[in-house]
Amino acid sequence: MKPLRKREDEEWMHLVGDAVTSPADLRLKFGDKMRGLDSVTERFPMRVNSYYLSLIEKAGDSIFRQCIPDSRELSDEGLIDPLEEEEHSPVPGLTHRYPDRVLFLVSSRCAVYCRFCNRRRKVGRPDVVTPETIREGLAYIRANKDIRDVLLSGGDPLLLSDKELFRILTDLRAIPHVEIIRIGSRVPCTLPQRITPGLAEMLKGFHPLYINAHFNHPRELTCEAAAACSRLADAGIPLGCQTVLLKGVNDDPFVMKSLMQGLLKMRAKPYYLFQPDLVKGTSHFWTPLERGLEIMDAVQGHASGMCLPHFAVDLPHGGGKVPFLPNYVEEKKDNGLVLRTFEQKRHFYPLFCLGKGDLND
Ligand SMILES: *Cc1c(COP(=O)(O)O)cnc(C)c1O
């Protein structure tokens, strides 16, 4: 007999099962824009569920661009695995790049396949994460006492069933040196229905547990998404957000400020803003580094510091993440710095102990 689904799981499971996976299925909705995309989806699978699809207001908007295939994905620019996650993988599906933390892939599925995904070489392929790779990953973590922080990723870890996730979290929590567990998930944005009371209740047993969501546009901050975030926050889970800077989606100071302020209202603290990775098939989303700095500069001071993420680049060839800040130093003098304020004024700040007259420059 098939095990009975819990009733609260029916809605999200239905949304996952019923997702659009072929451009032709959207011909009625978006017309000729959907033609000639089969060669794209043969290379990079498509999946959009009806919830996320319903956020599209018109073809070509910020939601459309994130989830609908585009012929420019066939461009040869970029690298297959720019972060060289494979090279830093002691066992398949686990990347150990920093001394005290690892990235552990526990699912290869997502609720929506983002067109800018930096792990698109892997998502949607059933052979990438298997019970065997999960066992090996756990064994690696168990054997390496330096690992105090495990970052579950994928695919989307929250597309696992409560039971599968419970199993993995229980095994991790049984390892004494694992102090922090983090889950990176796009589900609060692309399938908020997945955040059921049962899931929140189960996750509560594994603190300290952090969830980093992934929202890229203020129009993704719906009532459903807010309810999902509330449920997780009420379960005591601190929420962060890892946003990707994307040309034509959110490369605009007003859009970014409204996203960051909206996230904070939903109790998710903006954590990272990533410069897009140089992944093959995503070059139409790339923005110059300067653009990200301009956007950070436009938000800083005009919105609470709580809204400000770290703007970072994940370096090609596996160098790790490097943070960037706009330049606030206008001039260096022998006794101090001339700094630029958020109102574009110049202020002197002394380098050494305050003495008489120092503040006058
Ligand atoms: C991003 C990342 C982490 C986590 O980095 P934090 O700055 O601690 O959030 C860990 N491992 C890998 C391989 C990563 O890419």
Side-chain angles (χ1 to χ4, degrees):
M1 206 174 83
K2 254 174 78 176
L4 281 179
R5 278 179 191 174
K6 279 198 276 178
R7 171 168 279 165
E8 64 176 35
D9 286 329
E10 275 173 14
E11 185 185 6
W12 74 268
M13 286 188 174
H14 178 78
L15 281 164
V16 171
D18 213 30
V20 174
T21 54
S22 159
D25 294 343
L26 292 177
R27 224 176 263 154
L28 264 176
K29 208 173 161 80
F30 301 123
D32 282 347
K33 279 203 160 60
M34 292 297 106
R35 279 186 197 283
L37 294 175
D38 289 339
S39 46
V40 176
T41 52
E42 274 160 29
R43 197 143 152 207
F44 305 116
M46 165 184 191
R47 171 180 290 278
V48 199
N49 63 60
S50 59
Y51 164 77
Y52 197 69
L53 201 58
S54 77
L55 304 186
I56 297 177
E57 286 173 359
K58 59 176 193 298
D61 73 10
S62 299
I63 310 291
F64 182 99
R65 286 169 195 243
Q66 292 188 66
C67 64
I68 305 295
D70 186 303
S71 56
R72 290 173 292 179
E73 290 175 42
L74 296 172
S75 152
D76 268 335
E77 267 185 294
L79 305 160
I80 302 280
D81 175 16
L83 309 182
E84 293 186 1
E85 292 186 328
E86 291 340 311
E87 269 92 313
H88 291 77
S89 282
V91 294
L94 184 142
T95 306
H96 195 173
R97 177 182 299 132
Y98 300 108
D100 69 330
R101 53 207 193 276
V102 292
L103 180 79
F104 184 16
L105 310 191
V106 294
S107 161
S108 54
R109 295 196 311 156
C110 284
V112 167
Y113 291 139
C114 302
R115 305 322 297 174
F116 53 86
C117 178
N118 71 359
R119 225 168 273 139
R120 53 190 338 194
R121 68 189 185 280
K122 290 191 155 181
V123 296
R125 301 202 354 218
D127 54 326
V128 167
V129 175
T130 64
E132 185 55 31
T133 63
I134 293 182
R135 248 195 319 276
E136 282 184 52
L138 286 165
Y140 179 84
I141 296 166
R142 211 173 281 125
N144 286 272
K145 293 210 163 55
D146 291 341
I147 301 171
R148 42 176 298 283
D149 185 346
V150 175
L151 181 42
L152 299 181
S153 184
D156 201 311
L158 296 185
L159 272 204
L160 297 177
S161 68
D162 291 3
K163 215 167 138 189
E164 290 169 307
L165 198 55
F166 178 82
R167 189 69 260 151
I168 293 169
L169 292 170
T170 304
D171 287 346
L172 278 175
R173 269 287 162 248
I175 303 172
H177 53 270
V178 172
E179 295 168 7
I180 308 282
I181 300 175
R182 289 192 263 173
I183 297 177
S185 172
R186 226 195 152 187
V187 148
C189 171
T190 53
L191 184 68
Q193 297 79 359
R194 169 64 185 108
I195 312 297
T196 58
L199 176 70
E201 188 60 33
M202 184 273 280
L203 293 175
K204 233 174 163 171
F206 295 97
H207 284 309
L209 175 78
Y210 288 72
I211 291 185
N212 281 318
H214 174 176
F215 291 87
N216 291 330
H217 195 273
R219 280 205 354 249
E220 295 171 337
L221 309 179
T222 62
C223 295
E224 289 90 338
C229 289
S230 266
R231 200 163 267 162
L232 293 170
D234 286 347
I237 301 167
L239 300 176
C241 181
Q242 311 200 138
T243 296
V244 185
L245 181 61
L246 299 166
K247 185 157 105 190
V249 173
N250 58 15
D251 59 335
D252 175 278
F254 295 100
V255 170
M256 196 59 81
K257 185 171 128 190
S258 126
L259 173 64
M260 298 306 163
Q261 289 176 327
L263 283 166
L264 210 57
K265 244 165 83 182
M266 289 187 4
R267 304 160 76 184
K269 161 91 187 72
Y271 175 42
Y272 274 127
L273 172 65
F274 286 118
Q275 174 73 358
D277 292 327
L278 304 177
V279 184
K280 194 175 271 196
T282 66
S283 56
H284 52 297
F285 288 113
W286 299 350
T287 54
L289 194 62
E290 275 303 315
R291 188 75 192 130
L293 289 169
E294 275 166 31
I295 290 173
M296 289 298 292
D297 195 37
V299 179
Q300 133 72 30
H302 297 273
S304 141
M306 289 287 292
C307 291
L308 283 184
H310 304 284
F311 176 50
V313 175
D314 218 340
L315 290 181
H317 309 303
K321 297 178 182 68
V322 175
F324 279 87
L325 267 183
N327 182 28
Y328 297 108
V329 180
E330 294 261 297
E331 201 183 327
K332 285 185 177 153
K333 301 195 167 189
D334 287 345
N335 58 344
L337 300 172
V338 179
L339 301 177
R340 179 171 62 85
T341 72
F342 77 102
E343 293 166 310
Q344 311 307 326
K345 292 186 179 139
R346 288 161 57 97
H347 275 258
F348 180 76
Y349 189 78
L351 272 181
F352 306 104
C353 302
L354 285 179
K356 57 176 184 312
D358 277 355
L359 278 177
N360 300 327
D361 196 329

PDB file of all heavy atoms in Angstrom, residues 18 30 34 45 54 56 71 81 94 96 144 193 203 232 245-246 266 271 279 319:
ATOM      1  N   ASP A  18       2.870  19.028 -11.074  1.00  0.00           N
ATOM      2  CA  ASP A  18       2.105  19.614 -12.154  1.00  0.00           C
ATOM      3  C   ASP A  18       2.869  20.702 -12.915  1.00  0.00           C
ATOM      4  O   ASP A  18       2.299  21.406 -13.736  1.00  0.00           O
ATOM      5  CB  ASP A  18       0.852  20.250 -11.515  1.00  0.00           C
ATOM      6  CG  ASP A  18      -0.327  20.170 -12.441  1.00  0.00           C
ATOM      7  OD1 ASP A  18      -0.372  19.204 -13.224  1.00  0.00           O
ATOM      8  OD2 ASP A  18      -1.169  21.084 -12.402  1.00  0.00           O
ATOM      9  N   PHE A  30       2.324  32.775 -23.943  1.00  0.00           N
ATOM     10  CA  PHE A  30       3.344  33.743 -24.365  1.00  0.00           C
ATOM     11  C   PHE A  30       3.607  33.748 -25.868  1.00  0.00           C
ATOM     12  O   PHE A  30       4.533  34.419 -26.338  1.00  0.00           O
ATOM     13  CB  PHE A  30       4.652  33.499 -23.616  1.00  0.00           C
ATOM     14  CG  PHE A  30       4.521  33.604 -22.118  1.00  0.00           C
ATOM     15  CD1 PHE A  30       4.891  32.544 -21.299  1.00  0.00           C
ATOM     16  CD2 PHE A  30       4.025  34.762 -21.532  1.00  0.00           C
ATOM     17  CE1 PHE A  30       4.775  32.630 -19.932  1.00  0.00           C
ATOM     18  CE2 PHE A  30       3.900  34.858 -20.152  1.00  0.00           C
ATOM     19  CZ  PHE A  30       4.265  33.788 -19.351  1.00  0.00           C
ATOM     20  N   MET A  34       7.844  31.423 -27.319  1.00  0.00           N
ATOM     21  CA  MET A  34       8.108  30.069 -26.826  1.00  0.00           C
ATOM     22  C   MET A  34       8.625  29.144 -27.925  1.00  0.00           C
ATOM     23  O   MET A  34       8.816  27.959 -27.701  1.00  0.00           O
ATOM     24  CB  MET A  34       6.831  29.467 -26.226  1.00  0.00           C
ATOM     25  CG  MET A  34       6.378  30.128 -24.952  1.00  0.00           C
ATOM     26  SD  MET A  34       7.594  29.932 -23.631  1.00  0.00           S
ATOM     27  CE  MET A  34       8.255  31.564 -23.565  1.00  0.00           C
ATOM     28  N   PRO A  45      17.368  21.770 -18.310  1.00  0.00           N
ATOM     29  CA  PRO A  45      15.943  21.476 -18.162  1.00  0.00           C
ATOM     30  C   PRO A  45      15.138  22.680 -17.686  1.00  0.00           C
ATOM     31  O   PRO A  45      15.667  23.607 -17.081  1.00  0.00           O
ATOM     32  CB  PRO A  45      15.917  20.361 -17.114  1.00  0.00           C
ATOM     33  CG  PRO A  45      17.233  20.403 -16.426  1.00  0.00           C
ATOM     34  CD  PRO A  45      18.207  20.973 -17.405  1.00  0.00           C
ATOM     35  N   SER A  54       2.481  32.244 -11.922  1.00  0.00           N
ATOM     36  CA  SER A  54       1.418  33.236 -11.725  1.00  0.00           C
ATOM     37  C   SER A  54       1.981  34.608 -11.331  1.00  0.00           C
ATOM     38  O   SER A  54       1.266  35.607 -11.366  1.00  0.00           O
ATOM     39  CB  SER A  54       0.434  32.754 -10.651  1.00  0.00           C
ATOM     40  OG  SER A  54       1.001  32.929  -9.359  1.00  0.00           O
ATOM     41  N   ILE A  56       4.321  36.067 -12.984  1.00  0.00           N
ATOM     42  CA  ILE A  56       4.671  36.781 -14.222  1.00  0.00           C
ATOM     43  C   ILE A  56       3.511  37.689 -14.595  1.00  0.00           C
ATOM     44  O   ILE A  56       2.373  37.235 -14.660  1.00  0.00           O
ATOM     45  CB  ILE A  56       4.951  35.787 -15.379  1.00  0.00           C
ATOM     46  CG1 ILE A  56       6.157  34.906 -15.047  1.00  0.00           C
ATOM     47  CG2 ILE A  56       5.168  36.523 -16.705  1.00  0.00           C
ATOM     48  CD1 ILE A  56       6.466  33.845 -16.109  1.00  0.00           C
ATOM     49  N   SER A  71      16.917  31.755 -25.827  1.00  0.00           N
ATOM     50  CA  SER A  71      17.860  31.179 -26.797  1.00  0.00           C
ATOM     51  C   SER A  71      19.307  31.613 -26.508  1.00  0.00           C
ATOM     52  O   SER A  71      20.247  30.918 -26.892  1.00  0.00           O
ATOM     53  CB  SER A  71      17.465  31.584 -28.213  1.00  0.00           C
ATOM     54  OG  SER A  71      17.406  32.988 -28.288  1.00  0.00           O
ATOM     55  N   ASP A  81      31.820  24.920 -14.816  1.00  0.00           N
ATOM     56  CA  ASP A  81      31.879  24.871 -13.350  1.00  0.00           C
ATOM     57  C   ASP A  81      32.860  25.938 -12.878  1.00  0.00           C
ATOM     58  O   ASP A  81      33.977  25.639 -12.472  1.00  0.00           O
ATOM     59  CB  ASP A  81      32.352  23.463 -12.913  1.00  0.00           C
ATOM     60  CG  ASP A  81      32.552  23.347 -11.401  1.00  0.00           C
ATOM     61  OD1 ASP A  81      32.062  24.222 -10.651  1.00  0.00           O
ATOM     62  OD2 ASP A  81      33.217  22.390 -10.969  1.00  0.00           O
ATOM     63  N   LEU A  94      29.985  16.961  -2.321  1.00  0.00           N
ATOM     64  CA  LEU A  94      30.388  17.731  -1.143  1.00  0.00           C
ATOM     65  C   LEU A  94      31.596  18.588  -1.513  1.00  0.00           C
ATOM     66  O   LEU A  94      32.557  18.083  -2.088  1.00  0.00           O
ATOM     67  CB  LEU A  94      30.724  16.788   0.017  1.00  0.00           C
ATOM     68  CG  LEU A  94      31.069  17.461   1.355  1.00  0.00           C
ATOM     69  CD1 LEU A  94      30.494  16.666   2.523  1.00  0.00           C
ATOM     70  CD2 LEU A  94      32.572  17.607   1.524  1.00  0.00           C
ATOM     71  N   HIS A  96      34.520  21.115  -0.103  1.00  0.00           N
ATOM     72  CA  HIS A  96      35.227  21.535   1.108  1.00  0.00           C
ATOM     73  C   HIS A  96      36.272  22.560   0.697  1.00  0.00           C
ATOM     74  O   HIS A  96      37.406  22.211   0.382  1.00  0.00           O
ATOM     75  CB  HIS A  96      35.894  20.320   1.775  1.00  0.00           C
ATOM     76  CG  HIS A  96      36.331  20.604   3.179  1.00  0.00           C
ATOM     77  ND1 HIS A  96      36.814  19.639   4.017  1.00  0.00           N
ATOM     78  CD2 HIS A  96      36.348  21.744   3.894  1.00  0.00           C
ATOM     79  CE1 HIS A  96      37.113  20.182   5.199  1.00  0.00           C
ATOM     80  NE2 HIS A  96      36.843  21.460   5.129  1.00  0.00           N
ATOM     81  N   ASN A 144      35.979  14.304   9.642  1.00  0.00           N
ATOM     82  CA  ASN A 144      36.770  15.536   9.633  1.00  0.00           C
ATOM     83  C   ASN A 144      36.323  16.496  10.725  1.00  0.00           C
ATOM     84  O   ASN A 144      35.381  17.258  10.569  1.00  0.00           O
ATOM     85  CB  ASN A 144      36.681  16.206   8.256  1.00  0.00           C
ATOM     86  CG  ASN A 144      37.506  15.460   7.226  1.00  0.00           C
ATOM     87  OD1 ASN A 144      38.686  15.721   7.063  1.00  0.00           O
ATOM     88  ND2 ASN A 144      36.878  14.492   6.578  1.00  0.00           N
ATOM     89  N   GLN A 193       4.415  27.227  -0.462  1.00  0.00           N
ATOM     90  CA  GLN A 193       3.464  26.237   0.073  1.00  0.00           C
ATOM     91  C   GLN A 193       4.195  25.060   0.715  1.00  0.00           C
ATOM     92  O   GLN A 193       3.620  24.343   1.545  1.00  0.00           O
ATOM     93  CB  GLN A 193       2.560  25.716  -1.056  1.00  0.00           C
ATOM     94  CG  GLN A 193       1.672  26.765  -1.698  1.00  0.00           C
ATOM     95  CD  GLN A 193       2.405  27.653  -2.722  1.00  0.00           C
ATOM     96  OE1 GLN A 193       3.598  27.504  -2.960  1.00  0.00           O
ATOM     97  NE2 GLN A 193       1.683  28.596  -3.310  1.00  0.00           N
ATOM     98  N   LEU A 203      11.827  20.975  11.765  1.00  0.00           N
ATOM     99  CA  LEU A 203      13.114  21.684  11.717  1.00  0.00           C
ATOM    100  C   LEU A 203      13.520  22.248  13.084  1.00  0.00           C
ATOM    101  O   LEU A 203      14.706  22.335  13.406  1.00  0.00           O
ATOM    102  CB  LEU A 203      13.054  22.820  10.683  1.00  0.00           C
ATOM    103  CG  LEU A 203      12.924  22.386   9.214  1.00  0.00           C
ATOM    104  CD1 LEU A 203      12.753  23.614   8.319  1.00  0.00           C
ATOM    105  CD2 LEU A 203      14.135  21.563   8.765  1.00  0.00           C
ATOM    106  N   LEU A 232       8.747  29.888   9.462  1.00  0.00           N
ATOM    107  CA  LEU A 232      10.113  29.462   9.787  1.00  0.00           C
ATOM    108  C   LEU A 232      10.676  30.309  10.931  1.00  0.00           C
ATOM    109  O   LEU A 232      11.287  29.779  11.863  1.00  0.00           O
ATOM    110  CB  LEU A 232      11.010  29.580   8.550  1.00  0.00           C
ATOM    111  CG  LEU A 232      10.675  28.621   7.407  1.00  0.00           C
ATOM    112  CD1 LEU A 232      11.454  28.982   6.145  1.00  0.00           C
ATOM    113  CD2 LEU A 232      10.960  27.165   7.806  1.00  0.00           C
ATOM    114  N   LEU A 245      22.651  39.329  -8.290  1.00  0.00           N
ATOM    115  CA  LEU A 245      22.481  40.519  -9.118  1.00  0.00           C
ATOM    116  C   LEU A 245      22.343  40.064 -10.572  1.00  0.00           C
ATOM    117  O   LEU A 245      23.222  39.375 -11.092  1.00  0.00           O
ATOM    118  CB  LEU A 245      23.709  41.414  -8.949  1.00  0.00           C
ATOM    119  CG  LEU A 245      23.728  42.728  -9.715  1.00  0.00           C
ATOM    120  CD1 LEU A 245      22.573  43.624  -9.312  1.00  0.00           C
ATOM    121  CD2 LEU A 245      25.053  43.447  -9.470  1.00  0.00           C
ATOM    122  N   LEU A 246      21.229  40.421 -11.208  1.00  0.00           N
ATOM    123  CA  LEU A 246      20.945  39.902 -12.540  1.00  0.00           C
ATOM    124  C   LEU A 246      20.509  41.017 -13.481  1.00  0.00           C
ATOM    125  O   LEU A 246      19.557  41.755 -13.179  1.00  0.00           O
ATOM    126  CB  LEU A 246      19.813  38.864 -12.469  1.00  0.00           C
ATOM    127  CG  LEU A 246      20.067  37.616 -11.622  1.00  0.00           C
ATOM    128  CD1 LEU A 246      18.771  36.861 -11.373  1.00  0.00           C
ATOM    129  CD2 LEU A 246      21.083  36.708 -12.319  1.00  0.00           C
ATOM    130  N   MET A 266       9.867  40.865   6.071  1.00  0.00           N
ATOM    131  CA  MET A 266       9.465  39.449   6.137  1.00  0.00           C
ATOM    132  C   MET A 266      10.375  38.661   7.083  1.00  0.00           C
ATOM    133  O   MET A 266      10.343  37.442   7.097  1.00  0.00           O
ATOM    134  CB  MET A 266       9.500  38.814   4.743  1.00  0.00           C
ATOM    135  CG  MET A 266       8.394  39.340   3.872  1.00  0.00           C
ATOM    136  SD  MET A 266       8.212  38.531   2.255  1.00  0.00           S
ATOM    137  CE  MET A 266       9.381  37.229   2.256  1.00  0.00           C
ATOM    138  N   TYR A 271      21.739  38.715   3.299  1.00  0.00           N
ATOM    139  CA  TYR A 271      23.035  38.179   3.718  1.00  0.00           C
ATOM    140  C   TYR A 271      24.078  38.428   2.635  1.00  0.00           C
ATOM    141  O   TYR A 271      25.079  39.077   2.879  1.00  0.00           O
ATOM    142  CB  TYR A 271      22.862  36.685   4.017  1.00  0.00           C
ATOM    143  CG  TYR A 271      24.123  35.913   4.347  1.00  0.00           C
ATOM    144  CD1 TYR A 271      25.110  36.440   5.177  1.00  0.00           C
ATOM    145  CD2 TYR A 271      24.322  34.623   3.851  1.00  0.00           C
ATOM    146  CE1 TYR A 271      26.261  35.724   5.467  1.00  0.00           C
ATOM    147  CE2 TYR A 271      25.460  33.890   4.150  1.00  0.00           C
ATOM    148  CZ  TYR A 271      26.435  34.444   4.954  1.00  0.00           C
ATOM    149  OH  TYR A 271      27.571  33.723   5.248  1.00  0.00           O
ATOM    150  N   VAL A 279      28.970  31.419 -15.406  1.00  0.00           N
ATOM    151  CA  VAL A 279      28.533  30.088 -15.804  1.00  0.00           C
ATOM    152  C   VAL A 279      28.076  30.096 -17.252  1.00  0.00           C
ATOM    153  O   VAL A 279      27.343  31.004 -17.678  1.00  0.00           O
ATOM    154  CB  VAL A 279      27.332  29.635 -14.941  1.00  0.00           C
ATOM    155  CG1 VAL A 279      26.918  28.207 -15.284  1.00  0.00           C
ATOM    156  CG2 VAL A 279      27.661  29.746 -13.484  1.00  0.00           C
ATOM    157  N   GLY A 319      38.392  30.222  -6.089  1.00  0.00           N
ATOM    158  CA  GLY A 319      39.093  31.062  -5.107  1.00  0.00           C
ATOM    159  C   GLY A 319      38.260  31.379  -3.885  1.00  0.00           C
ATOM    160  O   GLY A 319      38.764  31.900  -2.904  1.00  0.00           O
TER     161      GLY A 319
END
